[in-house]
Amino acid sequence: MAKISVNQLREAISTLPRVKLVYLPTPLEDCPRFSEALGGTHVLVKRDELTGLAFGGNKSRKHQFIFGEAKAQGADCMIHGAASQSNYSRQLTAACAKMGMKAYLTPQRDQRSEVVGIQGNLLLDAIMGADITLVKTEGGKSQGQVQQEIAEELRNQGHKPYITGHYDAVLGTVAYAECGLEIYEQLEALGLKADYVCMASGSGTQAGIALAAKSLGAEWKVIGFRPSPGGDNAAVSANIAKLANEAAELLKLNVAVEPEDVPNISDYGGEAYGIINRAGCEAIELLSRTEGIILDPVYVGKAMSGVIDYIRTGEIEKDRTVVFLHTGGTPALFAYNKEIVDEMGYSVKIVGE
Ligand SMILES: *Cc1c(COP(=O)(O)O)cnc(C)c1O
C-alpha cells in the first residue's frame, strides 16, 4: 500500500470546501504527573477540547468541513437533533453564530433535560440563540419528522435549511484525518513515537485518526472507547472502517482501513449512555488533580477510565507511549453536578455561622 507524506495528505484534504472556525493545531501536551501516577506509561493529551469554538471539542473540527459544504450548497440555516446535552448541537450553534446562520435544534426530551432543565450544553445553545424544540422520546413525532416539518416551514419562508446526515459523518472523518496528521507532526517534533492513540469514539473520530495512521505509515494502535455498554464490537469496528474508507475515497487516497485497525471497546461505558459512573469520575479526578485538565463525564472520562485500566492491568505496558485524544464535552459536567458530588462525596467547609 502506498504510504504518503504529511504534505500529500494535507493537500488531499485541502481540496474540500472549508470554513475557518477553529485554532489549529491544537496542543499536544505532555502529562508527566499523570504518567507518574499511572506508574510510568508515558501519556500525552491531544487537546481538542481547545479548538476554541464555544468550549471546543471534536465537532468543531468536523464543522469546518460540514459548514464548508453547507455554504457551498447555499444553506442559510442548520437543523440538527441529538441528546439534550449534545456537544454536537452546542458546537453547531456556535458555528452558526460565527457564520451568520440560524441553528434549529430538535434535542430529545430525555432524562437529562427533565432532571436539570436548561443547563450545561443546552444552556449554551439557548444563550447562543438556537431555536430549540424538545422532542419526546416515546410516542408522538420522531426527531426526523420534526426536523422535516421545520425544514418545510423554513423553505416556505424562502430559507435554505441544511439537515445534517451521513455525508457529514464522512466529512467529520476527514477532519479527524487532519487531527491525526497534526499528532504525527507534533510527535515528530518532540522526537517521540506513539504506540497507542486512544479516545472516546464510536465513529468518525476514530475512523479519521486510523485513516491518517494508515496513510502516513504511523504504527499506532488506534483504540476507541465508546460511551455506552453492550453492542456488537465487530459491527462497530466494521462501520468505523467503512467510514474511514469512504473518507479515503473522497480524498482519493489509495488506502484501506480494515476493521481490525479500529478496535472499539464498550467495557467502560458504565450502565448506559449519559449515565455517569464511578470509574469515569475517578478518571476525571485523577487527570484534573495531576495536570489541571478537565474531562467530561459522558464520553471522555469513561474513555480515560478505560486507558487507566489498560495501563494498570498491563494491557498497555509501562514502557509504552500513549496519546489520549481529548474530544471535549466539558460543559456537560455542569449538567451532572448533583450526581458527581454524590458519587465522589465532594464537600466544602463553611465558616462564619
Ligand atoms: C461526539 C463526541 C465523541 C464521539 O465522536 P465520534 O466522532 O462520533 O466518534 C467523543 N467525545 C465527545 C466529547 C463528543 O462530543
Side-chain angles (χ1 to χ4, degrees), residues 199-203 206 222-227 232-234 236-237 240 259 262-267 310:
M199 73 215 75
S201 177
S203 62
Q206 186 181 4
V222 179
I223 306 178
F225 294 89
R226 58 186 190 273
D232 179 346
N233 286 341
V236 174
S237 291
I240 292 170
V262 282
N264 195 274
I265 314 296
S266 68
D267 298 350
Y310 273 37

Side-chain angles (χ1 to χ4, degrees), residues 276-312:
I276 68 153
N277 64 341
R278 177 88 198 174
C281 289
E282 285 174 352
I284 294 171
E285 197 177 272
L286 184 61
L287 187 66
S288 69
R289 292 183 180 190
T290 50
E291 302 290 346
I293 298 173
I294 305 295
L295 304 176
D296 88 292
V298 176
Y299 288 92
V300 192
K302 286 180 177 178
M304 186 61 106
S305 79
V307 172
I308 291 171
D309 191 52
Y310 273 37
I311 291 172
R312 289 192 174 142

Side-chain angles (χ1 to χ4, degrees), residues 9 176-181 184 207-218 220:
L9 180 54
Y176 270 84
E178 187 174 73
C179 179
L181 182 162
Y184 185 88
I209 298 287
L211 176 59
K214 206 91 195 238
S215 302
L216 300 172
W220 307 333

Side-chain angles (χ1 to χ4, degrees), residues 21 49 51-57 60 87 90-91 93-95 121 124 128 330-331:
L21 295 173
E49 92 281 23
T51 48
L53 188 67
F55 295 96
S60 298
N87 300 308
R90 184 234 322 150
Q91 290 162 85
T93 305
N121 281 308
L124 297 172
M128 291 187 287
T330 46

